[in-house]
């Protein structure tokens, strides 16, 4: 994997984790609303999975 591709993947991974942090804060602020809490949890889980896929690509565990 070339340098540019690795850089783009790392940048995308950082963006996903920043977005996840925002949802985590929202989840904490609105923890009394169970429907919103569950929604944010699903979104965070999806973001985690995408970040894990990128991590796997960067570590060479699997190809794209």
């Amino acid at each position: 994997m070339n340098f540019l591709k690795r850089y783009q993947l790392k940048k995308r991974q950082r963006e996903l984790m920043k977005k996840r942090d925002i949802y985590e804060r929202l989840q904490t602020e609105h923890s009394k609303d169970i429907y919103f809490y569950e929604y944010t949890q699903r979104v965070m889980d999806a973001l985690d999975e995408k970040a894990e896929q990128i991590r796997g690509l960067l570590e060479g565990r699997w190809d794209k």
Side-chain angles (χ1 to χ4, degrees), residues 19-33:
K19 190 181 267 191
R20 188 198 184 285
D21 289 341
I22 291 169
Y23 277 101
E24 190 171 11
R25 267 184 294 178
L26 286 171
Q27 188 181 51
T28 303
E29 291 172 10
H30 303 284
S31 61
K32 294 188 192 300
D33 184 351

Side-chain angles (χ1 to χ4, degrees), residues 37-50:
Y37 185 89
E38 290 174 354
Y39 166 75
T40 55
Q41 188 62 50
R42 283 194 306 271
V43 172
M44 289 188 319
D45 291 344
L47 292 170
D48 282 340
E49 187 165 328
K50 289 177 185 176

Side-chain angles (χ1 to χ4, degrees), residues 2-17:
N2 65 25
F3 175 77
L4 182 59
K5 183 68 173 173
R6 289 184 68 78
Y7 174 78
Q8 290 171 339
L9 286 172
K10 286 181 181 182
K11 182 178 177 185
R12 178 71 179 137
Q13 186 180 29
R14 282 192 305 272
E15 291 169 357
L16 290 170
M17 296 314 292

